[in-house]
Amino acid sequence: MKCLKLIIVTFFFFGVIQPTYAQQIDSMMNVYAEGFPKEKIHVHFDRPYYNTGDTLFYKAYLLAVNEPSLLSKNLYVEWYDTSGVLVKQTVSPLFQATAKGSFEIPANYKGAFLHVKAFTRWMLNDDIAYLFQKNIPINGGAIVIGKLPEPSKIVIFPESGVLVEGLNSRVAFKALNQSGLPVKLKGVLIDAQKKVLDTIKVQHDGMGVFMLRPLAGQQYQINWTDEFGRSGITKITDIKKEGAVLTVRTNNEKAFLQFERSANAGETFKHMNLLVHMNQTLMFKVGLKMVERNFQRAEIPIDELPTGIVQFTLFTSDWIPVAERIVFINNHTHDFSAKLNPIYTNLNKRGLNSFEIIVSDTTMTNMSVSVYDAGANSADPHSIYSSFLLSSEIKGYVHNPAYYFQSDADSITSKLDLVMMTNGWRKMNWEQIKAGIGPEIKFMPENNFMSLKGSVFGIKPGMVKDQQLNFVLAAKDSSKSLLFAGIDGNGNFEQTGLFFYDTLKVYYGFNNNSKLSSATQVKIENGLLRKENGAKVNLGSIPPVWGGIDSMAIVRMNYFLSEQEKLRRLMASATLSEVVVKAKTKSKLEVLDETYASGLFSRGDGYSFDLSDGMAAPIDILTYLQGKVAGLQISGSGAGASLNWRGGVPDIYLNEMRADVGMVATIPVTDVAYIKVFRPPFFGSGGGGASGAIVVYTKKGEGASKGGQNVKGMESTILAGYSRFKEFYNPVYDKSAAAFEPDTRNTLYWNPYIMTNKKSPRYKVEFYNNDVSTKLQIVLEGINAKGKMTRVVRVLE
């Protein structure tokens, strides 16, 4: 992880920081930064809104300290209904700090939204507020939106966290209804004598700011009226007798700080300390000498800081925190440039469309792209920028967070500062740091994939010590693999690096000791976190449905829903003869795939070649592939040949066993039945696969089978693996396409893995329109190998 340089700032009126506590805090902050880096997640969905019966597709991105995280290999996604009951938990392997998946929304689902929560095991050490969480409207979320307005309230936030008698403070406020959504209101700030001290007006999304200098013995309140004509009173309480306040303003180059303490404050307020920190890393230390004056100003350079939230914490001389403020710094160190260039646009019924993704940056990128009906989907209130830079750093609901990253306009920057003042954030436990207490780690990072682990019961642990368990893993497609695990003195065993989807049958037995198998019980697990369906949780403070959904989008979503329902009824009412006529017979390639491919090698995204009937010319495999796979470059011949595909070298497999160019180059094409070429990334080996894979299957005798499932003399159990997800279907229309089936797809194209690098900076996309859409939206999001982000939105019409 990167470690940013600490800068000690001194001014002519600043004193020297006390060394004992200062050194303790310095060293402990390094412990937290190095030993407890924070992971953050963003999830890119194929579109913002869904209907019942739809399949939702997504791509997750994982960063730690602004770089792709190397800590975790497993991603957990939990789906909850409106009452907080778990509908389903899915687990995905992380590849280059990313993972893909899908979720099928039940056709009979009655809720107005689905609550999704995404996290790694490591992230569970942190506050649950920093997990990725989002409410996804279903059928427009009409149940919630149709309710009458709820009562409103005002919550106040002094700029530095406290109000102190005699000290002038900016006070931010947030006006919300009972669901947590912002409301508009106006009012006045008055004292006990009903003297008007300031006007109250919402500036943006329920937020605003006013000034207050509280006096001893005085009382204050806000009298307000909301947009629905309802009036209310909010009293201002918790005003301290003495203390200090902190004010922060920024421009592109500097942060301008103002410190003020009470005139009657104690000795500890006359020598104060300021820490400026970011991502648990100390950036600046400032010693404040305030013996002769109770007011000071300072300037801190911020133009070389990374983009993100910076925290300013003010301490007394004995290192008690008394004021804190967060500020968002945007030096554009967080993004890289990507372009979407249309090649041809045809929005007629089932028209063919194409565009190109171009990344000029030479760093390897990992992106996802979706194309959906723009009329049925309002703007997504979330983006990759808002997830990583805002929502994962602060507590509380932020309304439409993507808005704050649309531009660098001063008007948007000032509104983002209101967000900084009206939300909680990642506060350091300074008492714990002063005491030299490190972070409490309950969940270790999963830096491997799954594991075959468990315990042996029914016999004294010492009797199985130094014994070895033999495992045969039998997948549903009859493929098998062998594993071995030693047993420790407590009867426990673990073999890491397991990788499979769905379920498999595990046969096990003790090596050279069949009697132990019948005398013991063996509990086997996969090492993953599991939560049973039906578990209930508190969904937190996120409003049920975001209040900005376009009513016209809801109408169009309902149209898609009704058309899909018509299609389901049409198919259900079809006669047997109609079904037989329209039935699709398996192609020869599909038959070959079922015969030869197994596990992760079956199906998949890429090219398939049938060589089972032989070839007239006796050429080798690499010569055969030359020119048949777009972008695959083959140089040389035979065992000395070299491969390059989109800037990397694809993995080679022979009959699903890892091989090299030399092994397959000498095989005559006449001995080959089937070749598969997988586009990157390929998960077949549980690692690698960044540049795809080439899989060669040699011919086998007629009727050859992959083997039965039974393994004699061994006990067995069923073990669950990674969740199996649907692949997005991209239809290819030609003259033979079925004419009676209406195409009402809301998402026209989805690809979770768009990868570019220095040698292959372009990626071409082709897709067909549906029967009804006349305006489409393209959304591209992703990260590069340095942790920089991109988001590009383009409309086709």
Side-chain angles (χ1 to χ4, degrees), residues 503-664:
T503 61
L504 52 72
K505 199 166 187 177
V506 180
Y507 295 90
Y508 58 90
F510 290 87
N511 190 35
N512 298 323
N513 197 335
S514 59
K515 292 182 179 179
L516 278 179
S517 298
S518 58
T520 59
Q521 288 184 336
V522 179
K523 181 182 179 182
I524 301 175
E525 299 176 342
N526 60 14
L528 299 175
L529 296 172
R530 288 293 181 186
K531 187 176 288 187
E532 296 298 325
N533 292 351
K536 190 167 185 178
V537 300
N538 183 352
L539 296 184
S541 60
I542 302 178
V545 174
W546 183 67
I549 301 175
D550 186 354
S551 59
M552 291 302 295
I554 296 176
V555 171
R556 189 158 180 82
M557 285 288 287
N558 288 334
Y559 167 75
F560 277 96
L561 181 62
S562 63
E563 288 298 309
Q564 291 163 3
E565 195 60 38
K566 287 179 184 178
L567 178 58
R568 278 195 285 268
R569 287 198 297 267
L570 175 65
M571 298 303 293
S573 63
T575 64
L576 180 61
S577 60
E578 289 173 327
V579 173
V580 171
V581 170
K582 298 294 182 181
K584 181 179 180 293
T585 59
K586 292 181 180 179
S587 67
K588 191 171 181 182
L589 282 174
E590 289 173 326
V591 173
L592 281 170
D593 201 76
E594 291 182 359
T595 303
Y596 286 91
S598 65
L600 298 174
F601 294 87
S602 61
R603 298 179 298 276
D605 179 26
Y607 302 83
S608 298
F609 302 99
D610 173 16
L611 287 79
S612 59
D613 292 334
M615 296 190 63
I619 60 176
D620 62 77
I621 293 171
L622 299 181
T623 302
Y624 172 80
L625 289 176
Q626 189 79 262
K628 289 185 169 60
V629 178
L632 177 63
Q633 299 174 4
I634 302 174
S635 304
S637 61
S642 62
L643 307 180
N644 185 289
W645 196 14
R646 301 189 65 80
V649 180
D651 294 336
I652 305 293
Y653 293 85
L654 177 60
N655 296 324
E656 301 183 358
M657 299 296 291
R658 192 64 182 265
D660 56 32
V661 172
M663 293 174 65
V664 299

Side-chain angles (χ1 to χ4, degrees), residues 668-725:
V669 172
T670 52
D671 291 343
V672 175
Y674 187 40
I675 299 177
K676 298 189 73 172
V677 182
F678 291 91
R679 292 188 178 93
F682 174 63
F683 295 100
S685 59
S691 299
I694 299 173
V695 189
V696 177
Y697 295 93
T698 56
K699 293 177 180 177
K700 54 187 177 182
E702 290 292 327
S705 67
K706 300 175 185 176
Q709 284 285 339
N710 296 325
V711 179
K712 292 183 179 181
M714 301 185 76
E715 301 293 327
S716 67
T717 186
I718 299 297
L719 190 65
Y722 290 118
S723 306
R724 183 171 287 281
F725 301 109

Side-chain angles (χ1 to χ4, degrees), residues 109-342:
Y109 185 73
K110 303 300 182 184
F113 66 91
L114 276 167
H115 180 82
V116 58
K117 182 187 298 183
F119 57 93
T120 65
R121 185 192 291 259
W122 178 249
M123 291 173 68
L124 296 178
N125 291 302
D126 210 344
D127 192 310
I128 192 174
Y130 303 120
L131 306 184
F132 178 89
Q133 298 188 70
K134 182 178 181 180
N135 287 340
I136 300 175
I138 305 299
N139 296 341
I143 297 175
V144 174
I145 293 174
K147 285 185 176 181
L148 292 173
E150 298 168 315
S152 302
K153 64 178 180 179
I154 289 182
V155 185
I156 67 166
F157 302 87
E159 178 175 10
S160 57
V162 293
L163 287 170
V164 181
E165 289 183 357
L167 303 184
N168 205 31
S169 293
R170 283 203 311 164
V171 182
F173 68 87
K174 186 185 289 187
L176 308 168
N177 64 20
Q178 294 302 308
S179 292
L181 292 171
V183 294
K184 295 179 181 178
L185 55 74
K186 57 184 179 180
V188 291
L189 170 67
I190 62 174
D191 60 17
Q193 290 73 45
K194 298 185 178 180
K195 179 182 177 181
V196 175
L197 305 177
D198 205 346
T199 57
I200 305 298
K201 185 178 180 181
V202 168
Q203 298 175 19
H204 178 71
D205 278 348
M207 299 176 293
V209 67
F210 61 88
M211 300 299 298
L212 176 61
R213 182 174 179 267
L215 302 177
Q218 187 61 270
Q219 296 178 342
Y220 304 93
Q221 69 182 42
I222 300 173
N223 294 348
W224 52 265
T225 303
D226 69 14
E227 59 186 298
F228 307 107
R230 294 170 303 198
S231 299
I233 295 174
T234 300
K235 295 184 179 295
I236 298 177
T237 58
D238 195 22
I239 301 173
K240 295 185 178 297
K241 295 289 185 182
E242 63 176 44
V245 296
L246 167 66
T247 301
V248 182
R249 302 286 193 282
T250 63
N251 62 18
N252 292 333
E253 297 179 350
K254 296 180 179 180
F256 302 92
L257 312 178
Q258 180 174 297
F259 313 91
E260 188 174 8
R261 66 166 177 84
S262 302
N264 61 343
E267 290 298 316
T268 58
F269 285 87
K270 295 180 181 180
H271 293 275
M272 305 189 74
N273 305 307
L274 177 74
L275 297 185
V276 183
H277 48 105
M278 188 178 193
N279 295 324
Q280 304 180 112
T281 300
L282 194 56
M283 314 296 289
F284 302 95
K285 289 197 306 187
V286 180
L288 294 164
K289 186 177 180 181
M290 301 180 68
V291 177
E292 299 177 356
R293 52 192 300 185
N294 60 359
F295 182 90
Q296 294 281 17
R297 288 193 175 95
E299 298 178 3
I300 300 289
I302 60 173
D303 54 329
E304 294 186 5
L305 296 181
T307 298
I309 292 177
V310 180
Q311 296 179 224
F312 298 81
T313 308
L314 183 64
F315 297 84
T316 57
S317 60
D318 55 351
W319 291 93
I320 303 296
V322 293
E324 196 160 33
R325 170 81 149 93
I326 61 172
V327 172
F328 191 87
I329 306 297
N330 188 358
N331 288 324
H332 292 285
T333 61
H334 65 286
D335 54 358
F336 67 91
S337 176
K339 295 181 180 180
L340 295 176
N341 288 344

Side-chain angles (χ1 to χ4, degrees), residues 324-379:
E324 196 160 33
R325 170 81 149 93
I326 61 172
V327 172
F328 191 87
I329 306 297
N330 188 358
N331 288 324
H332 292 285
T333 61
H334 65 286
D335 54 358
F336 67 91
S337 176
K339 295 181 180 180
L340 295 176
N341 288 344
I343 299 174
Y344 40 85
T345 302
N346 182 358
L347 298 183
N348 294 327
K349 179 177 178 180
R350 306 191 184 189
L352 179 62
N353 298 266
S354 181
F355 61 88
E356 192 173 41
I357 300 167
I358 304 174
V359 180
S360 57
D361 194 323
T362 59
T363 307
M364 188 184 74
T365 70
N366 188 337
M367 302 175 288
S368 48
V369 66
S370 63
V371 183
Y372 54 81
D373 186 290
N377 293 271
S378 303

